[in-house]
Amino acid sequence: MDIYINGVWTLVPDHRGTIYWLPDGSRHKITDLGIEPPIETLTEEPVILPPEAETIAAMERVIESYMDAIAQGRRWDNRWTCVARSGYPNAWQSEAAAYGQWMDACWAYAFQVQTDAQASNRTVPTAEELIAELPTMVWPD
């Protein structure tokens, strides 16, 4: 928009009415001429997880990465490639089924840890502590 400033017509951005959010979740509205949204502007309200949910989500990512690493140690692409082979007769079915059962046991344990921590029956483990507590994968012969 052109405005008259100090005797000169000047082109200034007009973002009045623009609503934006910053990554910290704070909401802002531009009300004046010449104001640009910051570089880190989000056009939709970010989902800010409460600290407890962030911890749970982080632990889930750690477990998923760990499960992928175990599968990759057996030359599978990832946990899903391995588990997919358990559903029909093939040369790797017993290995894939054992892996799937191990995954289920790990998730059951992790969810129990989560329940216990939320009930203040135990402290929230670090990622390393949680991985160390998970059941051991035993591959069939």
Side-chain angles (χ1 to χ4, degrees), residues 64 67-68 70-72 74-90 92-107 137 139:
E64 289 169 350
M67 290 176 172
D68 281 340
I70 295 296
Q72 290 161 353
R74 259 324 238 227
R75 300 178 68 187
W76 295 97
D77 293 334
N78 56 48
R79 63 192 181 280
W80 302 118
T81 305
C82 184
V83 172
R85 298 292 188 264
S86 67
Y88 58 91
N90 63 75
W92 306 280
Q93 186 178 22
S94 64
E95 182 170 293
Y99 180 83
Q101 291 169 355
W102 171 76
M103 273 182 50
D104 287 347
C106 287
W107 284 121
M137 175 61 209
W139 298 99

Side-chain angles (χ1 to χ4, degrees), residues 34-77:
I35 304 295
E36 299 262 358
I39 293 172
E40 68 272 18
T41 293
L42 304 172
T43 56
E44 294 181 10
E45 184 174 8
V47 176
I48 305 293
L49 298 174
E52 177 182 292
E54 280 185 27
T55 300
I56 291 168
M59 289 296 183
E60 288 174 355
R61 287 189 300 273
V62 165
I63 292 170
E64 289 169 350
S65 294
Y66 175 66
M67 290 176 172
D68 281 340
I70 295 296
Q72 290 161 353
R74 259 324 238 227
R75 300 178 68 187
W76 295 97
D77 293 334

